[in-house]
């Protein structure tokens, strides 16, 4: 194992992006729910990655680095388009299921993403759609793990409250 910093060539960056492009597309799509816009976001993120790949100090974190770029591009896109709705904050903690969600639960959660601010969507997407651990989420979001946990539970609680208000389930 080498300790010195390795740098990618443009060809290697292109290959790395190509290898994870479907995952990046799914990440962007969770934000915008539109194929064309998600493809635009991934293209923008790839372009930004090409412009700044020499700044990537640790190549083993490439996927984390490019995921962060896609999240930031998605948030910027949504802010430009003003396609989001804010929901009220509440400070009650809520425990999240650590087990994987069923397809039906993921679909409900996917639909509910529209209720969140763009900055908050990353927490739900990374946890439930990418099945990331809190430590991985902290890396992607460049935040301490405890901050990620606190924000995640706060966002999840707001989302649960929003979804249960006015929603009538048939028995």
């Amino acid at each position: 194992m080498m300790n010195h910093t390795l740098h990618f060539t443009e060809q290697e960056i292109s290959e790395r992006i190509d290898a994870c492009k479907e995952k990046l597309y799914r990440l962007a799509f969770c934000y915008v729910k539109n194929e064309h816009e998600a493809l635009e976001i991934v293209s923008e993120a790839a372009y930004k990655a090409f412009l700044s790949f020499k700044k990537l100090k640790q190549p083993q974190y490439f996927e984390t680095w490019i995921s962060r770029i896609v999240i930031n591009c998605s948030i910027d896109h949504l802010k430009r388009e003003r396609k989001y709705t804010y929901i009220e904050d509440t400070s009650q903690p809520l425990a999240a299921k650590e087990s994987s969600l069923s397809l039906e639960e993921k679909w409900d959660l996917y639909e509910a993403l529209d209720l969140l601010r763009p900055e908050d969507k990353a927490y739900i997407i990374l946890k439930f759609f990418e099945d990331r651990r809190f430590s991985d989420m902290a890396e992607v979001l460049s935040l301490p793990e405890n901050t990620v946990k606190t924000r995640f539970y706060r966002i999840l609680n707001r989302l649960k409250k929003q979804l249960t208000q006015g929603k009538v389930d048939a028995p």
Side-chain angles (χ1 to χ4, degrees), residues 120-171:
D120 294 344
K121 288 183 181 188
Y123 294 86
I124 301 300
I125 292 168
L126 290 171
K127 186 68 174 166
F128 292 116
F129 294 93
E130 297 288 325
D131 293 322
R132 300 279 185 109
R133 296 182 319 230
F134 285 116
S135 58
D136 296 335
M137 291 169 64
E139 265 184 47
V140 170
L141 299 169
S142 297
L143 294 168
E145 187 174 340
N146 284 338
T147 301
V148 170
K149 286 179 185 177
T150 301
R151 288 181 184 173
F152 171 78
Y153 289 121
R154 191 175 296 139
I155 292 163
L156 195 59
N157 192 40
R158 283 192 315 236
L159 191 57
K160 181 181 179 192
K161 185 176 180 183
Q162 181 70 20
L163 291 172
T164 56
Q165 288 177 349
K167 182 177 178 183
V168 180
D169 292 325

Side-chain angles (χ1 to χ4, degrees), residues 52-114:
S52 63
F53 74 89
K54 290 184 173 144
K55 295 177 186 173
L56 179 61
K57 304 268 190 274
Q58 299 173 308
Q60 69 269 30
Y61 295 119
F62 174 81
E63 203 168 305
T64 298
W65 176 73
I66 191 82
S67 293
R68 185 179 309 133
I69 294 172
V70 169
I71 289 169
N72 289 338
C73 287
S74 298
I75 290 170
D76 290 346
H77 176 83
L78 288 172
K79 284 181 178 178
R80 282 192 304 267
E81 297 296 317
R82 300 285 184 216
K83 289 185 177 177
Y84 52 90
T85 303
Y86 289 96
I87 61 176
E88 293 292 317
D89 190 2
T90 172
S91 58
Q92 296 176 359
L94 176 74
K97 286 196 275 183
E98 284 298 321
S99 61
S100 293
L101 296 176
S102 70
L103 189 57
E104 184 178 285
E105 289 171 318
K106 279 190 177 182
W107 183 252
D108 289 344
L109 192 55
Y110 172 77
E111 291 295 314
L113 286 173
D114 285 340

Side-chain angles (χ1 to χ4, degrees), residues 17 22 24 33 42 51 93 95 100 107 116 138 149 169:
I17 290 172
E22 288 177 22
L24 300 176
K33 298 183 181 148
V42 172
L51 292 179
S100 293
W107 183 252
L116 296 176
K149 286 179 185 177
D169 292 325

